[in-house]
Amino acid sequence: MNSNVIYNFSKLKPSLFFLPLFLLLTLVVVLYTQGPLNATTYLQIQKEAFFYINHHLGQFPTIEYNLTQLGDASILLSFLTIFILYAPKIWESLLSASLFSLLFSTVLKNLFLVPRPSEVYDNSSFFIVGKTAVGFASLPSGHSITVFTTLTVLLFGFMPKNLNSKLLWIVSLLCVGLLIVVSRVGVGAHHPLDVITGSIIGYISGLLGIFTNQKYNIWKWVNDKRYYPIFILLMLVCGVSLLLKIGVENIIIYYLALISLVVSLYKISYAYIKK
């Protein structure tokens, strides 16, 4: 499995950045044609879309709330811990990509200072699921960046060779990603363009993570079993965090993440003991 990931990553070209950069440029041009490039214009052109999406998705609060948790890095990455053992190259790229996504999210949120829906609309006029997201950090959606950063690494790492399988793989991951990120609108935490922009930036972050690791290989120790105790400790901490979350909110996604984490913990601990 790991050899296939290495092979797939080695075939990637910088031209993959053209599409996301074009989409971002297109988004800026569209916003510019609607009026001054400011928060007021940004919110006004998507107000109807926000209420439409939120109204329809808000009818399924349990599903949306479970889905939106996958934008939490500690939850999403819990499902991928098994790849530390079987496809460490995935995790090497994920670590680099996560640093880029964190940088982009932090800088851009503080740069744009776009208010969240709860700050600009009457809170009784739309669905809010879970804790109300407040403040002026709506653009871009950090959850969307996390989701598409991770899915981009998985997309190219496990890309099939057959054309039909490749198309099915791309469409499947894209649909999964969109289902997760649009839940941020469904729970009333973000505007539609927040998640679109976040998804594009996440894709760029994933690519940057892959190319950075290809060039510098700074995380090669991930594939060294001598360092497994570090991951074992981190997984134990993450497991405790999940148990605390379950104690507060008894939702299924936490249980699934915990099960995945326990299986990975057992497999990696066993591999370390037998090294």
Side-chain angles (χ1 to χ4, degrees), residues 1-13 80 82-95 150-161 169 206 209-211 213-214 217 222-223:
M1 182 183 292
N2 198 50
S3 59
N4 287 334
V5 173
I6 293 173
Y7 174 80
N8 285 340
F9 283 164
S10 69
K11 295 298 181 180
L12 300 184
K13 305 297 182 183
L80 306 180
I82 195 65
F83 293 133
I84 295 172
L85 184 62
Y86 297 113
K89 203 66 178 179
I90 288 290
W91 267 90
E92 291 177 25
S93 295
L94 274 176
L95 288 171
T150 304
L151 290 183
T152 298
V153 174
L154 296 178
L155 172 71
F156 292 111
F158 297 121
M159 184 70 75
K161 293 180 175 60
W169 175 242
I210 294 171
F211 283 114
N213 193 67
Q214 287 291 95
N217 201 23
V222 171
N223 196 28

Side-chain angles (χ1 to χ4, degrees), residues 191-209:
H191 310 281
L193 290 180
D194 297 343
V195 300
I196 292 174
T197 305
S199 299
I200 297 172
I201 293 172
Y203 178 80
I204 293 173
S205 298
L207 286 177
L208 286 173

Side-chain angles (χ1 to χ4, degrees), residues 103-118:
L103 176 64
F104 286 138
S105 180
T106 302
V107 171
L108 294 177
K109 281 179 179 291
N110 285 291
L111 176 64
F112 295 127
L113 294 175
V114 172
R116 291 187 183 268
S118 64

Side-chain angles (χ1 to χ4, degrees), residues 144-153 174 177-178 181 198-199 202-203:
S144 301
I145 292 178
T146 297
V147 169
F148 269 85
T149 294
T150 304
L151 290 183
T152 298
V153 174
L174 180 61
L178 291 176
V181 301
S199 299
Y203 178 80

Side-chain angles (χ1 to χ4, degrees), residues 6-272:
I6 293 173
Y7 174 80
N8 285 340
F9 283 164
S10 69
K11 295 298 181 180
L12 300 184
K13 305 297 182 183
S15 58
L16 288 168
F17 286 103
F18 291 163
L19 177 59
L21 292 175
F22 171 76
L23 292 175
L24 286 178
L25 179 61
T26 301
L27 184 58
V28 172
V29 171
V30 170
L31 288 172
Y32 181 77
T33 61
Q34 299 299 312
L37 289 176
N38 54 39
T40 301
T41 301
Y42 177 80
L43 297 176
Q44 190 60 40
I45 68 172
Q46 57 182 320
K47 180 179 179 180
E48 290 186 10
F50 167 77
F51 280 103
Y52 180 84
I53 296 171
N54 177 265
H55 172 73
H56 286 83
L57 294 184
Q59 307 289 333
F60 310 97
T62 301
I63 294 175
E64 292 304 301
Y65 194 59
N66 274 276
L67 282 174
T68 205
Q69 301 307 317
L70 289 170
D72 183 329
S74 65
I75 303 299
L76 182 58
L77 295 180
S78 291
F79 289 99
L80 306 180
T81 48
I82 195 65
F83 293 133
I84 295 172
L85 184 62
Y86 297 113
K89 203 66 178 179
I90 288 290
W91 267 90
E92 291 177 25
S93 295
L94 274 176
L95 288 171
S96 293
S98 295
L99 292 178
F100 282 111
S101 67
L102 177 62
L103 176 64
F104 286 138
S105 180
T106 302
V107 171
L108 294 177
K109 281 179 179 291
N110 285 291
L111 176 64
F112 295 127
L113 294 175
V114 172
R116 291 187 183 268
S118 64
E119 300 285 354
V120 292
Y121 307 129
D122 180 355
N123 286 195
S124 63
S125 66
F126 64 98
F127 288 102
I128 297 177
V129 183
K131 185 178 179 181
T132 303
V134 298
F136 290 73
S138 197
L139 176 68
S141 163
H143 280 64
S144 301
I145 292 178
T146 297
V147 169
F148 269 85
T149 294
T150 304
L151 290 183
T152 298
V153 174
L154 296 178
L155 172 71
F156 292 111
F158 297 121
M159 184 70 75
K161 293 180 175 60
N162 177 270
L163 179 59
N164 290 332
S165 298
K166 184 178 295 188
L167 291 174
L168 179 61
W169 175 242
I170 294 172
V171 172
S172 297
L173 255 67
L174 180 61
C175 289
V176 168
L178 291 176
L179 281 173
I180 297 172
V181 301
V182 78
S183 70
R184 299 303 292 161
V185 182
V187 300
H190 281 284
H191 310 281
L193 290 180
D194 297 343
V195 300
I196 292 174
T197 305
S199 299
I200 297 172
I201 293 172
Y203 178 80
I204 293 173
S205 298
L207 286 177
L208 286 173
I210 294 171
F211 283 114
T212 298
N213 193 67
Q214 287 291 95
K215 184 173 182 179
Y216 299 106
N217 201 23
I218 56 179
W219 308 103
K220 61 181 179 180
W221 53 268
V222 171
N223 196 28
D224 191 334
K225 291 183 178 180
R226 292 178 300 174
Y227 295 97
Y228 277 8
I230 296 176
F231 294 109
I232 292 171
L233 178 60
L234 291 174
M235 283 189 282
L236 287 172
V237 172
C238 190
V240 171
S241 174
L242 283 170
L243 288 172
L244 293 174
K245 288 178 182 290
I246 290 172
V248 176
E249 297 177 311
N250 193 27
I251 60 176
I252 190 170
I253 197 68
Y254 292 156
Y255 286 101
L256 295 176
L258 184 61
I259 291 171
S260 178
L261 202 61
V262 169
V263 171
S264 298
L265 183 60
Y266 169 77
K267 291 280 189 179
I268 292 173
S269 298
Y270 184 78
Y272 177 71

